[in-house]
Amino acid sequence: MITFIIGGNKSGKSDYALEIFSKYSGKKCFIATGKARDMAFRKQIMDHRRERDPAIPVFEAGSDLHQVLVRARKEYNHLLVDSLDFWMFSCFEQSNGEQMVGEVVRLLSEWEGPDVVLVSCEVGLGPLAMSREVREFVRGLGGLNRRIAAIADEAYLVAAGLPLTLKK
C-alpha cells in the first residue's frame, strides 16, 4: 500500500506520517532525503532525529532514492520517505533529473512490496515566483505530487496540523 501525505512547510505532515508509520508492525525503516546545507537546517534535522524511534534505522537518500527504495524493500515491511520535495532538489541538481524522477514514479506505479508512506510539500498555493528556476521547481514538484497522488492508495493533505482525507 502507498500512502501519500502532502502539506505546506511546518503544516504537520511529517508528524502525521510518523503517526501512521507508528501503527505498523514489522520491520520498518525511515528514508530521509533532506541534506543540511546551513546551520538552521542542520539543527532541524538533528531535532527530527531525536524525535524518531531510535530502533528504526534511518537511510539517507539524495538523488539515489530509486536505488535506496529497491534495497530497502527487500529487507523491510514498511518504509517512510520524508520528503519528496528535498529529493526533487537533489534531482534538479543533476543533468538527468527528469529521468531520475521518472524512474521513481515508474517504480512506485508498479510497487509490489512493503507499505510505503511518502511525504511531500504542496507547492503553488501562493503567487508565482519571479525566477525561472523557482518556477521550474514548483511546476516540477507539483507534477510529481500529482503523479504520486494518482498511484497512491491513500492520500492526505495536512493543513494547520489537521489531516484531510483526499483519497482512500
Side-chain angles (χ1 to χ4, degrees):
M1 172 143 91
I2 297 175
T3 302
F4 183 49
I5 301 169
I6 192 166
N9 190 26
K10 304 309 280 179
S11 64
K13 64 190 177 299
S14 293
D15 292 338
Y16 187 61
L18 286 169
E19 183 181 320
I20 289 172
F21 200 60
S22 71
K23 295 176 183 173
Y24 292 145
S25 60
K27 289 183 73 176
K28 302 185 256 189
C29 79
F30 184 96
I31 301 170
T33 63
K35 302 288 183 192
R37 295 187 178 182
D38 59 63
M39 288 307 292
F41 193 51
R42 183 167 284 123
K43 181 186 178 315
Q44 184 178 337
I45 289 171
M46 293 308 295
D47 290 344
H48 278 295
R49 284 184 180 160
R50 282 191 290 275
E51 294 167 3
R52 286 195 295 263
D53 181 347
I56 298 173
V58 175
F59 299 103
E60 294 187 0
S63 57
D64 62 339
L65 179 60
H66 182 275
Q67 293 90 331
V68 173
L69 286 169
V70 168
R71 283 192 311 266
R73 78 176 179 181
K74 293 176 184 174
E75 187 175 345
Y76 297 95
N77 305 105
H78 310 284
L79 314 175
L80 171 59
V81 178
D82 194 358
S83 78
L84 294 178
D85 48 297
F86 283 113
W87 168 66
M88 189 92 164
F89 279 125
S90 296
C91 290
F92 260 61
E93 293 176 331
Q94 307 294 321
S95 60
N96 62 338
E98 286 186 34
Q99 176 186 341
M100 298 164 96
V101 169
E103 288 173 356
V104 168
V105 170
R106 275 189 299 284
L107 175 67
L108 292 169
S109 67
E110 300 166 355
W111 192 256
E112 291 184 23
D115 295 320
V116 62
V117 178
L118 302 165
V119 179
S120 188
C121 266
E122 176 58 278
V123 293
L125 294 174
L128 193 59
M130 289 181 58
S131 78
R132 178 185 58 80
E133 293 84 4
V134 174
R135 283 193 309 273
E136 284 179 13
F137 178 79
V138 167
R139 289 177 177 144
L141 183 57
L144 172 64
N145 288 342
R146 287 178 64 172
R147 292 167 76 183
I148 296 298
I151 61 177
D153 300 293
E154 295 182 352
Y156 300 92
L157 168 68
V158 179
L162 302 173
L164 305 166
T165 302
L166 301 176
K167 180 180 181 181
K168 198 149 183 158

